[in-house]
Amino acid sequence: MIAGYCLLIAEFMLSFRAKIAFYLEDVTTAIGLTVNLLILALILLSLGIYVAQTYPLSATWQMWLRQLDWGILSLFSLEYLIRFWCAESKLGFVFNIFSILDLLSILPLFFGFFDIRFFRIFRWFRILRVIRFFGSDLSIFQIKTSDQIVFTRILLTLFSIIFVYAGLIYQIEHPINPQVYRTFFDAFYFAVVTMTTVGFGDVTPLSDGGKMVTVLMILTGVLLIPLQISTLTKQLLKSGTQTDYPCPDCGLPRHDMDANFCKNCGAKLLKKPD
């Protein structure tokens, strides 16, 4: 009898865990969409809070923002533990790139109890968590065509990297050069100018760490921006050889002009695209 109850409980827990794992990744159902949009909203809110904290605010506002930030970090930590619990392969989860980014983003919650200010830079990796929502299906943002998906991913990638670099340079340079790197916007401006290799020279780093980050910015800009532009150009050229003709089975909206079968499901196209 006891063994039967234990078996029922084990089956229930497995089913419950699978359902939680599904909703954490799903954006097609109402529950999954709500959960993922809530996580996305918390990510953006946490970033907005830290940007606001770089500006001169009253002590009351600073206290409220700090408490709200710790609350969001606690929720992120809970989310990480839930994802770890739901993962079929624990080792695979730990070394997954998104899991590593999630872990980096919650490190300030644990190191915040000590005076290790360097680890505050990891909070800027929260922006990279947004990439999780741009893996395959972007219909929740009304982004459905291939052109829109590629363009959105390029913008997201560039913005994420610039945002992280701006956070790094601000954390390194602000303590020793507060007149130049006054707020996060100053650091963001420097990151954009540096990565695009414009180099006005009106904002420059003083520390060795800041100079090293600047070198990384330049290298990233030189390597990444042309690559992203090339990807976008290829997609635009590819779109020029396609026509708007939906598949009668899966509904794929675009096909090559000479296509006879759907490249997504293999169904025969009833009418050859013009």
Side-chain angles (χ1 to χ4, degrees):
M1 190 70 176
I2 296 177
Y5 280 123
C6 291
L7 183 61
L8 287 175
I9 293 174
E11 291 178 352
F12 171 79
M13 292 301 296
L14 286 174
S15 174
F16 180 71
R17 187 176 68 174
K19 190 172 295 185
I20 294 296
F22 171 77
Y23 286 134
L24 284 173
E25 301 295 337
D26 172 66
V27 293
T28 59
T29 64
I31 297 177
L33 178 61
T34 302
V35 169
N36 282 280
L37 287 180
L38 179 60
I39 294 173
L40 178 59
L42 288 175
I43 294 171
L44 298 177
L45 178 60
S46 68
L47 294 172
I49 289 173
Y50 194 79
V51 170
Q53 288 176 328
T54 66
Y55 288 83
L57 300 173
S58 66
T60 302
W61 273 105
Q62 287 284 1
M63 181 190 69
W64 279 107
L65 290 177
R66 186 163 51 250
Q67 292 178 352
L68 181 58
D69 192 42
W70 283 113
I72 293 174
L73 268 178
S74 300
L75 291 176
F76 284 159
S77 301
L78 178 62
E79 180 209 355
Y80 180 86
L81 293 176
I82 292 175
R83 289 184 183 275
F84 178 79
W85 175 65
C86 293
E88 294 184 3
S89 172
K90 309 300 183 186
L91 188 63
F93 171 82
V94 170
F95 289 101
N96 180 273
I97 182 62
F98 290 120
S99 300
I100 293 173
L101 293 175
D102 287 346
L103 182 60
L104 289 174
S105 71
I106 63 177
L107 280 179
L109 180 65
F110 306 103
F111 288 101
F113 294 107
F114 307 95
D115 189 19
I116 308 179
R117 297 183 183 275
F118 173 78
F119 284 98
R120 294 176 65 190
I121 65 175
F122 288 124
R123 69 194 308 157
W124 296 102
F125 285 89
R126 295 183 204 174
I127 189 66
L128 298 182
R129 289 164 51 99
V130 181
I131 295 176
R132 159 188 321 278
F133 300 95
F134 291 82
S136 57
D137 187 353
L138 303 178
S139 59
I140 60 173
F141 300 102
Q142 300 301 313
I143 300 173
K144 300 180 180 180
T145 67
S146 299
D147 293 349
Q148 291 174 328
I149 291 175
V150 171
F151 185 68
T152 302
R153 284 176 178 165
I154 289 174
L155 286 181
L156 178 68
T157 301
L158 292 176
F159 178 76
S160 300
I161 293 175
I162 291 173
F163 204 97
V164 170
Y165 272 133
L168 287 170
I169 200 69
Y170 178 82
Q171 291 292 337
I172 295 172
E173 287 294 315
H174 176 71
I176 63 174
N177 198 7
Q179 291 78 22
V180 175
Y181 295 89
R182 297 164 299 176
T183 64
F184 175 80
F185 179 78
D186 294 325
F188 190 81
Y189 163 79
F190 173 74
V192 172
V193 170
T194 302
M195 288 191 64
T196 55
T197 65
V198 175
F200 290 132
D202 54 338
V203 179
T204 57
L206 296 180
S207 66
D208 290 339
K211 293 176 181 177
M212 179 59 67
V213 172
T214 302
V215 170
L216 292 176
M217 285 186 196
I218 297 172
L219 293 177
T220 303
V222 169
L223 295 175
L224 180 66
I225 294 178
L227 179 63
Q228 297 298 321
I229 294 176
S230 173
T231 302
L232 180 59
T233 302
K234 289 179 182 178
Q235 181 60 38
L236 293 176
L237 292 175
K238 179 181 177 181
S239 299
T241 64
Q242 294 181 333
T243 184
D244 293 323
Y245 184 78
C247 172
D249 284 7
C250 69
L252 185 68
R254 295 178 64 85
H255 293 86
D256 293 338
M257 293 181 179
D258 59 348
N260 293 311
F261 297 91
C262 175
K263 63 180 179 181
N264 183 47
C265 67
K268 183 175 178 57
L269 298 176
L270 300 180
K271 175 183 176 183
K272 188 175 180 179
D274 295 329

